[in-house]
Amino acid sequence: MLNDNELNDTQTGEEVLLQSSEEAQSQSFGGEVHAESQGSCNVKHPRLHAYLEKRARKKEIKRQKEAAKSKLQLFFEDVAFVSIALLIAVVLKTYIGQPIFISGNSMNDTLSDKEIIWCNKLFYTPKRFDVVIINPEKGEEKQLIKRIIAMPGETVYIDDEDRIHITPADGEEYILEDKYGCFKGEVRSKKIVYFNNPDMSVTLKENEYFCMGDNRYNSADSRIYGPFSKDEIVGHAVTRIWPFTKLGDFDKENE
């Protein structure tokens, strides 16, 4: 039979052995867990690998769709910008104004070949001596630039001394003070000859204008084509914009 001291020593020894056994199991289990954790970090699980690949493919497809959408959006933005720009250009040219390139010498000495003027089309009412742009419905296919000499209802006659006679519908004949005419060089056009007019004069109808180039001896104008209607007059040449050295109102030189 064991005494109390021996019994206590025996229990203490069993507890020490039990604790040691638990620690050993614990260390062994922990080592296995640790080893399994390390293995999972170094070697991907097949299902996890498939999941990651699928996710990566989805991201790539999404990126490609966004890139394609961005390109399509940019394309439509460019188309919209060009369309709006063209619309503005058409509106400006049709209703407001446009630059006009001078070709030829029919407006010498006021305007010269290769100069550029600005044509105003907005709220324009033709007046005598205005320089105008004409889209003729007869004769020339290109635009003309001429000066208004006679107004609707007036009768025009040019004598042998190149003087312009104007007779208003309700008034007496007078000689027009022509400060714009340039009489230089070879005489190619002088009299009113359109339609083989026998008396070299013309009476203008309502909304008709008699226009001439300032280069009186070298201009195809109403003396050849006849009067121009108001509908054929598309705008008023208001200022020279090229060359820069002559920028401004070209008619001031004649005042």
Side-chain angles (χ1 to χ4, degrees):
M1 179 176 256
L2 298 174
N3 57 30
D4 292 339
N5 292 333
E6 290 175 347
L7 182 60
N8 290 335
D9 291 339
T10 301
Q11 290 177 347
T12 302
E14 290 176 352
E15 290 176 358
V16 170
L17 289 173
L18 180 60
Q19 183 177 1
S20 299
S21 175
E22 289 177 352
E23 288 178 356
Q25 289 178 1
S26 188
Q27 289 175 358
S28 175
F29 180 74
E32 290 175 0
V33 173
H34 181 66
E36 184 178 353
S37 299
Q38 287 182 341
S40 66
C41 292
N42 296 328
V43 180
K44 293 181 179 178
H45 194 278
R47 294 179 63 183
L48 178 61
H49 181 69
Y51 168 76
L52 293 175
E53 283 188 343
K54 184 178 180 181
R55 186 177 179 184
R57 284 197 301 270
K58 285 184 177 180
K59 285 185 176 180
E60 178 62 20
I61 292 172
K62 183 178 180 181
R63 186 192 66 80
Q64 291 177 357
K65 286 183 177 180
E66 289 178 349
K69 182 178 179 181
S70 178
K71 289 181 180 179
L72 190 63
Q73 184 177 359
L74 288 174
F75 171 76
F76 282 116
E77 287 178 355
D78 290 342
V79 170
F81 175 79
V82 172
S83 300
I84 293 172
L86 288 175
L87 179 62
I88 292 173
V90 169
V91 171
L92 284 172
K93 183 177 180 180
T94 305
Y95 300 105
I96 298 178
Q98 68 179 107
I100 299 293
F101 295 81
I102 306 298
S103 177
N105 300 308
S106 69
M107 285 298 292
N108 285 0
D109 286 339
T110 304
L111 295 168
S112 302
D113 186 42
K114 295 182 173 60
E115 291 184 343
I116 305 175
I117 56 93
W118 178 259
C119 171
N120 173 49
K121 300 179 181 181
L122 191 63
F123 307 125
Y124 172 62
T125 301
K127 298 186 295 295
R128 195 190 312 275
F129 294 132
D130 281 353
V131 176
V132 294
I133 309 301
I134 302 167
N135 276 338
E137 297 175 353
K138 51 189 178 294
E140 286 280 345
E141 295 181 355
K142 61 182 182 180
Q143 286 185 329
L144 304 175
I145 178 166
K146 306 297 176 183
R147 190 181 297 277
I148 295 177
I149 298 299
M151 305 294 287
E154 297 179 338
T155 299
V156 189
Y157 169 73
I158 301 175
D159 64 26
D160 292 335
E161 297 180 3
D162 303 319
R163 294 176 300 182
I164 301 172
H165 297 248
I166 302 290
T167 304
D170 55 354
E172 296 183 359
E173 178 182 329
Y174 66 92
I175 297 176
L176 185 68
E177 183 182 353
D178 183 13
K179 58 184 178 181
Y180 301 103
C182 174
F183 301 90
K184 297 178 182 178
E186 179 185 359
V187 178
R188 296 180 59 189
S189 55
K190 186 173 181 179
K191 294 287 187 176
I192 300 175
V193 298
Y194 83 101
F195 300 147
N196 296 316
N197 196 332
D199 58 2
M200 302 300 177
S201 67
V202 58
T203 298
L204 303 175
K205 299 176 183 178
E206 184 180 0
N207 287 330
E208 284 188 338
Y209 298 84
F210 193 87
C211 304
M212 299 172 66
D214 285 356
N215 187 357
R216 297 285 190 257
Y217 287 167
N218 191 3
S219 174
D221 46 42
S222 288
R223 291 171 290 179
I224 296 174
Y225 302 130
F228 297 106
S229 68
K230 189 176 185 299
D231 291 338
E232 293 176 287
I233 297 175
V234 298
H236 178 206
V238 292
T239 187
R240 184 191 287 113
I241 59 177
W242 179 264
F244 291 140
T245 54
K246 301 171 71 176
L247 184 69
D249 186 354
F250 46 79
D251 270 344
K252 282 187 176 180
E253 300 170 3
N254 297 312
E255 294 179 354

